[in-house]
Amino acid sequence: MSDDWNKRTKLVHAGTRRSQYGEVSEAIFLTQGFVYDTAEAAAARFEAAGEDEFIYARYGNPTVAMFEERIAALEGAEDAFATASGMAAVNAALTAMLKAGDHVVSSRALFGSCLYILEEVLTRYGVEVTFVDGTDLDQWRAAMRPDTRAVFLETVSNPTLEVIDLKAVAEIAHGVGATVVVDNVFATPVFNNAMALGADVVVYSATKHIDGQGRVLGGVILGTKEFIRKTAEPYIKHTGGAMSPFTAWVLLKGLETLDLRVRAQADSARAIAERFEGHEKLARVLYPELASHPQHAVAAAQMERGGTVVSLDLKGGREAAFRFLNGLDIVTISNNLGDAKSIITHPATTTHQRLTQEQRDALGIGDGLVRLSVGIEATEDLIADIARALDGA
Ligand SMILES: *Cc1c(COP(=O)(O)O)cnc(C)c1O
């Protein structure tokens, strides 16, 4: 592989390891273990496994390694470790590096399970967590302490699509020597280069755009060789969050078409946002490429495109939102995102149901808010479907 290749070329070719058969499509090494020619060879491999040498699939596997190398090349990261799900990646990235007595500063607008790890799990083990409004740099500055070990944020929040100024937050965090851990799912590795903006560790739920076809759960942690091999790997390989080789193969195929899919999705998302902004049934249309978006300038500076999700706030509250969802024909009601199929969800009663009314209010998740993950269907069909369902809402 050449470092000069464009992302689209890396997505097709980076990390490929061919077996002695010279297969075109990456092989699935559906094996738990590996054999050694001699007892001495086994002992040597356990002492220090070399490149392309594997011991046990919980530690590493050739198909999983292909996925790790391909996504690392895309992100421009030194190394990567694949995990069983996005949450296994978030959990391992934080737990592997933190210990009792450490302080963490995190943005408050988080994916529900990320919030659970920061609020419920880490604190139980003696890590202190301060939550801030991620879009307010003064709050980040005020929260930093000499013992702040890590900063956690989602570059684009779910479901209100707030965009955090990653470069500015990373500078503030690095000022006290904190490690910046970024969940970059909504921005996607295609539209935003989180590491170039200052992230030290980037995590993805590969379940979302990277698979993009609703088949598997997966996750990945990206960082320096030092962080991945010395901090993340020992934790993951001994606690069991490894990715299945079959999943890695599905995700390798997903990566091949990732760029094409997310660009088509972002084109439709923008067209939908522009077409329905100001619609009589809608109080707000949230999409980072709209000039009306509160962090429009930050989004334009750090993301090539606004992403694949548009959030719509219906004036009639929950009843109007439910009528709208039930009136859609093409767009399906589900809670995944980044899929080839357009998917819509009502966060207040599903993904964010666990939160109190107060917490939802603080995050701007009202009863009329719906999150639309735009798929790769024809844009005009999606617009017609949404227009008709809005009329009936
Ligand atoms: C989905 C998601 C996760 C969790 O990923 P899983 O693969 O479902 O475990 C974490 N963060 C964000 C922003 C997500 O959208």
Side-chain angles (χ1 to χ4, degrees):
M1 193 205 68
S2 164
D3 285 340
D4 301 339
W5 286 352
N6 286 297
K7 282 185 175 182
R8 269 173 69 168
T9 308
K10 289 178 179 170
L11 281 169
V12 178
H13 292 291
T16 302
R17 296 160 181 242
R18 292 206 165 83
S19 78
Q20 70 271 34
Y21 299 114
E23 63 280 353
V24 172
S25 176
E26 296 76 1
I28 312 180
F29 292 94
L30 210 50
T31 180
Q32 138 284 324
F34 304 85
V35 296
Y36 318 99
D37 288 340
T38 60
E40 288 79 4
R45 204 174 291 184
F46 270 77
E47 202 180 293
E51 221 168 294
D52 290 341
E53 288 186 338
F54 298 93
I55 294 171
Y56 191 60
R58 176 150 49 72
Y59 294 16
N61 167 288
T63 312
V64 177
M66 284 192 258
F67 169 70
E68 290 167 340
E69 281 175 35
R70 189 167 294 176
I71 182 96
L74 172 68
E75 189 73 34
E78 281 177 23
D79 213 342
F81 205 98
T83 56
S85 69
M87 284 325 303
V90 173
N91 180 58
L94 292 168
T95 312
M97 111 175 101
L98 295 168
K99 61 178 189 322
D102 284 342
H103 178 238
V104 175
V105 182
S106 171
S107 151
R108 191 177 292 116
L110 296 180
F111 182 74
S113 300
C114 295
L115 187 64
Y116 180 82
I117 288 178
L118 284 143
E119 217 173 20
E120 312 279 340
V121 181
L122 292 178
T123 51
R124 208 193 298 154
Y125 293 98
V127 175
E128 200 188 327
V129 184
T130 304
F131 289 100
V132 297
D133 172 348
T135 61
D136 183 345
L137 294 178
D138 287 336
Q139 288 194 25
W140 285 105
R141 273 187 213 103
M144 294 301 154
R145 305 192 323 214
D147 62 342
T148 304
R149 179 85 173 79
V151 154
F152 184 78
L153 61 98
E154 294 173 15
T155 41
V156 181
S157 76
N158 168 33
T160 52
L161 310 180
E162 285 179 2
V163 182
I164 294 182
D165 187 340
L166 174 56
K167 202 161 167 229
V169 173
E171 265 171 37
I172 295 167
H174 290 153
V176 297
T179 300
V180 178
V181 183
V182 169
D183 178 333
N184 202 38
V185 165
F186 274 63
T188 83
V190 170
F191 295 144
N192 162 314
N193 193 339
M195 286 206 160
L197 292 165
D200 301 300
V201 178
V202 179
V203 294
Y204 288 103
S205 163
T207 314
K208 310 295 165 53
H209 306 83
I210 295 172
D211 175 15
Q213 285 145 93
R215 300 164 293 193
V216 296
L217 287 172
V220 67
I221 306 176
L222 299 124
T224 60
K225 214 163 214 45
E226 171 84 13
F227 180 85
I228 296 299
R229 294 303 146 195
K230 301 269 167 61
T231 302
E233 179 187 319
Y235 179 85
I236 302 165
K237 78 182 188 185
H238 295 302
T239 56
M243 177 180 280
S244 141
F246 177 75
T247 293
W249 179 82
V250 171
L251 294 173
L252 279 161
K253 296 290 119 185
L255 283 176
E256 287 183 355
T257 59
L258 176 68
D259 187 283
L260 300 176
R261 284 184 285 109
V262 297
R263 282 182 198 285
Q265 289 169 270
D267 286 346
S268 285
R270 185 193 168 111
I272 288 166
E274 284 174 344
R275 169 73 170 69
F276 294 103
E277 184 171 42
H279 188 283
E280 55 172 3
K281 296 277 174 75
L282 298 173
R284 288 186 301 168
V285 172
L286 297 169
Y287 187 64
E289 281 185 47
L290 292 179
S292 60
H293 187 281
Q295 294 90 37
H296 176 69
V298 175
Q302 75 180 26
M303 290 162 70
E304 189 189 329
R305 299 295 311 273
T308 65
V309 174
V310 182
S311 290
L312 309 172
D313 207 350
L314 281 95
K315 281 179 182 164
R318 175 177 160 163
E319 278 174 23
F322 275 25
R323 277 196 300 272
F324 174 56
L325 261 62
N326 294 338
L328 290 160
D329 280 338
I330 298 170
V331 181
T332 51
I333 304 170
S334 186
N335 38 273
N336 192 16
L337 62 97
D339 201 274
K341 295 179 172 66
S342 289
I343 286 173
I344 197 155
T345 191
H346 183 248
T349 54
T350 61
T351 53
H352 291 69
Q353 189 185 48
R354 196 178 68 84
L355 302 186
T356 62
Q357 184 68 44
E358 234 177 10
Q359 286 174 308
R360 280 197 294 271
D361 289 346
L363 295 173
I365 304 169
D367 288 340
L369 190 77
V370 299
R371 184 191 75 193
L372 172 65
S373 168
V374 180
I376 61 171
E377 302 94 338
T379 311
E380 58 267 37
D381 290 344
L382 292 175
I383 286 178
D385 197 30
I386 293 164
R388 204 185 25 71
L390 273 180
D391 283 345

